[in-house]
């Protein structure tokens, strides 16, 4: 009897792939068996040649919702089937190489179950099936079987076991399958740890939120802090207790219709909200007002929809959105353990909504924004990680490469068998608890993917904790250490995402960010590059300006304003001519003599080409967070927000920039822009118009230099990346103008353009150099 051996690779475990194969085989009257193993799914199937060919054609057309088929390989199989019919057999352990699926929002069928009073899962907050629910958040090791998850301690009841064993049931081998009789339970405690006796803790929690209380809610990948987003007092108390005084809060609403009451929502953004990944979507605020403390000084609101049955049931009983911000104190990672939450959140939350399913792996909420007609991930975590990226042509043999990522917004990356697995957002490694999470997550991924690094890629900044840990791992594991220049990694990450092959010709790039160590040991951040995976040449950059106080200049934008002004002008003359300006008065109140000495003698005042600090300086000049920025990018975000209403009618200032040469490299100088801004402020011009024209000037200068470099090199493809390009006005203006000049623009979408995507680029450079 003819037979076929079919190897399926991709996201095919724990997503209902084997039952789909079983049903298809039954339709064609085939015999054989299917099983999971370390490579994916293996099928041995027997029947007529015609039925076998039809069966194979149908497999890609019937993938379950959470599956992703990367390859299907077929070989002739000799022999006979083991018995009659087609069977699903036990997993085989022969090396772990199958991607782990990302957590997924509740599917429509499970939502129907919890809404049906006659269903045994009515209002049960842990309802789940093969098409939705927890994956990475509960896995401890592979293969993805129940005994290897945090559901192992919950023995299935007879009814759930029957579902689990029936290939025709959508809960067949759904590893988190359970019901109220056998699964996790939820309860409510007060801040003193006293368990409250309520028959419906979720309804009671909704009532507490309506009354103005703050509740810590244990979710899928960590704890959140929740309160009524329309209650100004509750939001204010949450800010004070959490010590998060300025950064916008994330929001959750019952449905898209509720969100539309408070924000503009187009079709693409609606689809993003309703996607199985259920990210936070940044939307333009519009319509009814929320509490002013939700997003102070920002014109955007970060909304998400309920993505677990627990959240769905909680929001059903609320007529307004809730704040749903990470359950931690400022700058610490989310709590994931009940006892940890009792200890760390009792001073913030009035009540705690807890459950007894362990969170094996912390997952922050992902964040996306619609920019330039595409949804772009700004933070990649729950719902997306650890989905693998098939590598471009030429990288098929890339294997056993670990990239350590950056210092801030850290994620790391594994390259194995021609795929890149980028971790979930880890956070800022300056925090000791985040460092602990980072090391734990690296250990987990090495176990999940049976991975031992032979090459370790690090940022070339020796002070980064990720670099230092990479050096330690390389030394102890006898791996090759590959330092990668920061902005080269940004470029390479974008190339990989867009499928540029290993032998692709070099591209031009504008990489704008806060800062990263350059190839010359300096602090770069406004860079014009020519590069591919293997090499990168600096063709241009912003005028280097001192950072008075080093890292302190990142926290106090006035320092950058002074550094820019003193570089381009005579400070005493400025004081006389513009004495009435608020920025001049502010700077006059600062210890400028000390700063002058520091800059003159290069004492903790390194020169930098940072575009991020450039934004800080102009924000401070317009009175935006000049004294202090409470979170990274706050001043730049405020400048973008100020500029947005008048941006469409704005235009660049004439002669706002000039392009000089220094050691055969183009240098963008901004003296003309500063002169124009100071004159406009003196005339009393609307600051929103000034902010718009600053953005237009930066966009025009960027396009002008890129177009010049394109003419000189004959290269028509441009990469735009780096965290500064999260500024929608800048990204869209530069992209549009480059395209009008006939140039092709590539910019990140599926991986963050900020440092959250850096590890992917590091890994690609290391693979190219060590192939």
């Amino acid at each position: 009897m003819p037979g076929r051996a079919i190897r399926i690779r991709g996201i095919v475990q724990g997503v209902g792939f084997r039952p789909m194969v079983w049903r298809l085989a039954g339709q064609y009257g085939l015999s054989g068996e299917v099983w999971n193993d370390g490579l994916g799914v293996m099928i041995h199937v027997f029947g007529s040649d015609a039925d076998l060919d039809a069966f194979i054609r149908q497999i890609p057309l019937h993938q379950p919702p959470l599956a992703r088929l990367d390859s299907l390989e077929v070989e002739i199989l000799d022999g006979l089937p083991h018995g009659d019919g087609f069977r699903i057999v036990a997993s085989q352990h022969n090396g772990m190489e199958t991607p782990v699926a990302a957590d997924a929002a509740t599917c429509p069928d499970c939502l129907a179950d919890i809404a049906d009073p006659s269903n045994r899962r009515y209002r049960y907050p842990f309802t789940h099936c093969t098409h939705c629910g927890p994956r990475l958040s509960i896995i401890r090791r592979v293969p993805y079987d129940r005994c290897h998850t945090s559901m192992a301690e919950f023995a299935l009841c007879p009814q759930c076991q029957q579902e689990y064993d029936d290939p025709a049931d959508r809960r067949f081998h759904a590893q988190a399958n359970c019901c109220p009789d056998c699964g996790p339970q939820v309860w409510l405690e007060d801040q003193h740890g006293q368990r409250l006796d309520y028959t419906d803790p979720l309804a009671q929690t909704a009532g507490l939120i309506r009354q103005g209380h703050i509740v810590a809610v244990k979710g899928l990948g960590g704890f959140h802090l929740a309160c009524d987003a329309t209650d100004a007092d509750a939001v204010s108390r949450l800010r004070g207790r959490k010590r998060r005084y300025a950064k916008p809060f994330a929001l959750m609403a019952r449905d898209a219709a509720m969100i539309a009451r408070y924000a503009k929502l187009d079709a693409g953004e609606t689809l993003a909200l309703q996607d199985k990944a259920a990210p936070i979507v940044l939307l333009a605020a519009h319509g009814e007002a929320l509490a002013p403390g939700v997003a102070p000084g920002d014109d955007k609101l970060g909304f998400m929809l309920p993505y677990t049955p627990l959240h769905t049931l909680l929001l059903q009983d609320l007529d307004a959105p809730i704040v749903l911000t990470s359950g931690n104190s400022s700058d610490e990672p989310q709590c994931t353990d009940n006892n940890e939450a009792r200890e760390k959140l009792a001073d913030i939350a009035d009540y705690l909504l807890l459950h007894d399913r362990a969170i094996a792996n912390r997952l922050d909420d992902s964040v996306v924004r619609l920019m330039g007609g595409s949804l772009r991930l700004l933070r990649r975590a729950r719902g997306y990680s650890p989905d693998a990226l098939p590598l471009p042509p030429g990288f098929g043999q890339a294997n056993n490469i670990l990239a350590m990522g950056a210092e801030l917004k850290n994620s790391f990356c594994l390259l194995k068998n021609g795929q890149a697995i980028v971790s979930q957002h880890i956070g800022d490694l300056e925090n000791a608890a985040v460092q602990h999470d980072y090391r734990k997550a690296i250990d987990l991924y090495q176990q999940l993917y049976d991975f031992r690094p032979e090459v370790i890629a690090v940022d070339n900044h020796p002070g980064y904790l990720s670099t230092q840990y990479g050096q330690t791992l390389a030394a102890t594991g006898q791996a090759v250490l590959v330092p990668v220049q920061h902005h080269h990694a940004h470029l390479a990450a974008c190339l990989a995402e867009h499928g540029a092959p290993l032998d692709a010709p070099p591209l031009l790039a504008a990489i704008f960010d806060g800062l990263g160590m350059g190839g010359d040991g300096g602090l770069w951040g406004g860079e014009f590059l020519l590069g591919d995976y293997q090499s990168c040449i600096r063709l241009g950059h912003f005028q280097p300006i001192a950072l008075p106080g080093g890292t302190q200049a990142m926290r106090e934008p006035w320092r950058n304003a002074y550094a820019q002004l003193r570089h381009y002008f005579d400070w005493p003359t400025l004081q006389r001519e513009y004495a009435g300006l608020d920025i001049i008065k502010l700077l006059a109140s600062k210890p400028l003599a000390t700063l002058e000495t520091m800059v003159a003698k290069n004492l903790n005042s390194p020169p930098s080409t940072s575009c991020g600090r450039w934004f800080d300086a102009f924000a401070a000049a317009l009175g935006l967070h000049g004294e202090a920025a409470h979170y990274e990018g706050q001043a730049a975000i405020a400048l973008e927000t100020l500029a947005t209403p008048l941006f469409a009618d704005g235009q660049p200032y004439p002669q706002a920039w000039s392009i000089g040469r220094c050691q055969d490299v183009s240098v963008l100088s901004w003296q003309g822009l500063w002169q124009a801004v100071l004159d406009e402020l003196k005339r009393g011009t609307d600051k929103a118009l000034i902010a718009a024209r600053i953005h237009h000037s930066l966009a025009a200068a960027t396009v002008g230099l890129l177009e010049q470099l394109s003419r000189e090199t004959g290269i028509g493809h441009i990469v735009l990346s780096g965290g500064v390009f999260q500024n929608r006005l800048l990204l869209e203006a530069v992209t549009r103008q480059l395209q009008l000049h006939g140039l092709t623009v590539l910019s990140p979408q599926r991986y963050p353009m900020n440092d959250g995507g850096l590890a992917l680029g590091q890994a690609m450079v290391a693979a190219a150099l060590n192939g």
Side-chain angles (χ1 to χ4, degrees):
M1 180 183 294
R4 302 288 187 272
I6 305 168
R7 160 63 65 197
I8 308 289
R9 300 175 192 263
I11 300 175
V12 291
Q13 291 190 10
V15 295
F17 206 94
R18 290 176 302 162
M20 179 273 293
V21 170
W22 176 82
R23 287 190 291 271
L24 272 181
Q27 289 176 24
Y28 288 96
L30 305 175
S31 57
E33 50 195 29
V34 59
W35 66 89
N36 286 338
D37 62 13
L39 301 178
V41 166
M42 192 69 202
I43 307 169
H44 284 182
V45 62
F46 299 85
S48 71
D49 286 330
D51 286 338
L52 288 171
D53 290 343
F55 168 74
I56 292 167
R57 286 196 302 270
Q58 289 300 310
I59 289 175
L61 305 179
H62 289 80
Q63 294 181 61
L66 302 186
R68 191 193 73 214
L69 195 158
D70 291 337
S71 67
L72 187 156
E73 303 157 10
V74 182
E75 295 181 357
I76 299 297
L77 182 63
D78 295 324
L80 295 172
H82 299 108
D84 298 328
F86 194 89
R87 302 180 302 145
I88 296 174
V89 299
S91 300
Q92 298 184 13
H93 303 263
N94 60 344
M96 294 166 286
E97 299 177 4
T98 299
V100 177
D103 294 63
T106 316
C107 71
D109 288 334
C110 285
L111 289 175
D113 288 345
I114 65 173
D116 180 2
S118 66
N119 191 291
R120 67 193 186 92
R121 291 187 173 88
Y122 176 60
R123 291 189 64 82
Y124 181 57
F126 303 99
T127 299
H128 149 82
C129 75
T130 311
H131 302 153
C132 65
R135 296 294 194 281
L136 179 61
S137 60
I138 62 171
I139 194 169
R140 290 177 173 141
R141 55 187 178 275
V142 290
Y144 180 65
D145 292 331
R146 191 181 182 96
C147 61
H148 297 149
T149 74
S150 56
M151 289 298 295
E153 51 263 42
F154 300 98
L156 290 164
C157 68
Q159 285 180 283
C160 287
Q161 186 70 54
Q162 183 178 358
E163 295 169 334
Y164 185 87
D165 293 336
D166 181 0
D169 195 290
R170 80 173 198 277
R171 292 190 167 95
F172 175 75
H173 280 216
Q175 304 304 341
N177 189 32
C178 58
C179 73
D181 293 334
C182 64
Q185 300 298 312
V186 63
W187 68 91
L188 194 60
E189 290 182 6
D190 65 21
Q191 62 189 157
H192 305 296
Q194 180 65 43
R195 190 160 176 163
L196 305 177
D197 187 18
Y198 294 114
T199 56
D200 192 336
L202 291 166
Q204 187 64 32
T205 300
L208 292 169
I209 290 173
R210 282 195 301 269
Q211 294 166 26
H213 292 292
I214 298 168
V215 182
V217 177
K218 186 178 184 182
L220 188 69
F223 276 81
H224 289 95
L225 292 162
C227 71
D228 185 342
T230 65
D231 186 331
D233 180 63
V235 173
S236 178
R237 279 186 284 112
L238 177 55
R239 284 211 175 273
R241 293 180 187 179
K242 187 176 160 69
R243 300 197 299 279
R244 179 170 167 169
Y245 301 109
K247 196 172 184 179
F249 282 143
L251 300 159
M252 180 177 279
R254 183 175 59 231
D255 51 33
M258 180 180 284
I259 293 175
R261 289 163 41 192
Y262 303 93
K264 291 181 180 178
L265 194 59
D266 74 3
E269 291 163 333
T270 301
L271 287 175
L273 286 163
Q274 296 171 344
D275 185 76
K276 64 183 181 181
I280 296 170
V281 182
L282 297 186
L283 304 168
H286 178 75
E288 299 178 35
L290 295 170
V294 166
D298 204 328
D299 61 350
K300 300 180 293 299
L301 297 171
F303 268 108
M304 57 184 156
L305 293 176
Y307 53 85
T308 71
L310 185 149
H311 294 108
T312 298
L313 295 167
L314 177 62
L315 270 292
Q316 274 181 358
D317 295 326
L318 293 167
D319 295 324
I322 60 171
V323 166
L324 201 68
T325 187
S326 55
N328 56 4
S329 189
S330 185
D331 298 327
E332 293 186 355
Q334 272 182 296
C335 293
T336 56
D337 176 76
N338 289 351
N339 287 331
E340 179 192 21
R342 291 180 181 114
E343 176 187 347
K344 294 186 175 182
L345 302 182
D347 291 337
I348 304 176
D350 305 311
Y351 297 91
L352 291 86
L353 183 67
L354 304 177
H355 61 75
D356 54 357
R357 184 178 72 196
I359 297 170
N361 302 301
R362 178 172 63 86
L363 288 172
D364 292 275
D365 296 312
S366 296
V367 181
V368 305
R369 188 183 186 190
L370 182 66
M371 297 191 295
S374 298
L375 284 163
R376 300 172 192 271
L377 271 161
L378 308 185
R379 183 169 72 195
R380 186 176 181 273
R382 176 188 54 74
Y384 297 95
S385 294
D387 284 357
L389 175 73
L391 297 184
F395 289 96
Q397 302 305 311
N399 199 22
N400 297 327
I401 297 173
L402 171 63
M404 304 302 290
E407 183 86 344
L408 304 179
K409 298 180 174 64
N410 178 274
S411 66
F412 57 87
C413 177
L414 280 60
L415 293 195
K416 182 160 185 177
N417 294 339
Q419 291 194 316
I421 303 104
V422 178
S423 78
Q424 69 270 29
H425 168 83
I426 302 294
D428 296 349
L429 298 184
E430 296 170 340
N431 181 280
V434 175
Q435 278 187 59
H436 178 268
D437 260 19
Y438 174 58
R439 298 184 181 205
K440 175 186 171 186
I442 289 174
D443 289 344
L444 172 73
Y445 274 62
Q446 290 191 84
Q447 193 277 327
L448 292 181
Y449 292 94
D450 194 21
F451 181 88
R452 294 294 177 270
E454 298 173 2
V455 175
I456 296 180
V458 297
D459 191 276
N460 64 348
H461 194 306
Y464 279 9
L465 294 167
S466 57
T467 298
Q468 294 169 8
Y469 189 48
Q471 291 168 340
T472 299
L473 291 178
T476 56
Q478 298 183 322
V480 176
L481 187 74
V482 180
V484 179
Q485 198 278 320
H486 190 91
H487 302 90
H488 186 194
H490 276 305
L491 188 160
C494 187
L495 295 180
E497 178 184 331
H498 286 277
L502 174 60
D503 60 358
L507 283 76
L508 293 171
I511 311 293
F512 295 171
D513 62 3
L515 58 84
M517 179 166 283
D520 60 0
L523 298 180
W524 295 4
E527 307 307 313
F528 296 84
L529 308 174
L530 172 66
D532 53 22
Y533 292 112
Q534 295 179 304
S535 64
C536 187
I537 301 170
R538 192 186 201 191
L539 300 183
H541 56 78
F542 282 27
Q543 175 68 51
I545 302 291
L547 295 177
T551 56
Q552 198 63 22
M554 303 176 199
R555 303 185 185 102
E556 298 178 347
W558 65 265
R559 293 173 179 264
N560 300 293
Y562 175 69
Q564 293 263 346
L565 291 171
R566 70 167 294 283
H567 178 86
Y568 288 119
F569 304 102
D570 175 68
W571 175 247
T573 302
L574 278 186
Q575 280 189 297
R576 289 195 303 272
E577 293 186 4
Y578 300 98
L581 298 188
D582 290 340
I583 182 59
I584 302 299
K585 294 176 183 176
L586 172 64
L587 295 177
S589 70
K590 301 299 181 183
L592 298 185
T594 302
L595 260 67
E596 188 60 38
T597 300
M598 292 170 62
V599 173
K601 296 184 177 182
N602 195 25
L603 299 174
N604 194 26
S605 300
S608 171
T609 60
S610 169
C611 186
R613 304 292 79 78
W614 182 97
F615 265 101
D616 286 351
F618 280 104
L622 269 61
L624 303 171
H625 307 292
E627 286 281 4
H630 295 287
Y631 61 91
E632 187 192 14
Q634 183 183 15
I637 290 169
L639 191 66
E640 179 189 357
T641 299
L642 181 63
T644 296
L646 298 181
F647 185 75
D649 300 323
Q651 57 185 345
Y653 287 110
Q655 290 83 49
W657 69 94
S658 60
I659 301 174
R661 299 286 289 179
C662 180
Q663 298 179 343
D664 294 326
V665 174
S666 298
V667 180
L668 270 179
S669 173
W670 301 101
Q671 182 170 356
L673 180 57
W674 275 108
Q675 186 69 63
V677 168
L678 291 171
D679 289 342
E680 292 270 61
L681 288 171
K682 189 173 182 179
R683 285 193 290 269
T685 302
D686 184 351
K687 289 182 178 179
L689 180 58
I690 299 174
R693 299 193 73 180
I694 289 171
H695 278 79
H696 278 290
S697 298
L698 175 58
T702 301
V703 170
L705 182 48
L706 285 171
E707 188 191 10
Q708 175 183 312
L709 295 173
S710 177
R711 290 195 304 270
E712 292 172 357
T713 62
I715 293 172
H717 285 71
I718 314 287
V719 166
L720 303 178
S721 192
V724 168
F725 277 109
Q726 291 177 163
N727 182 309
R728 183 180 60 83
L729 302 180
L730 179 65
L731 177 69
E732 293 180 350
V734 173
T735 300
R736 181 172 58 251
Q737 292 173 37
L738 288 172
Q739 290 171 341
L740 288 173
H741 286 104
L743 301 173
T744 299
V745 179
L746 305 177
S747 52
Q749 297 175 25
R750 290 182 288 168
Y751 294 85
M753 60 183 71
N754 59 43
D755 282 2
L758 200 74
L760 174 60
Q762 292 172 344
M764 299 304 296
V765 172
L769 295 176
N770 289 269

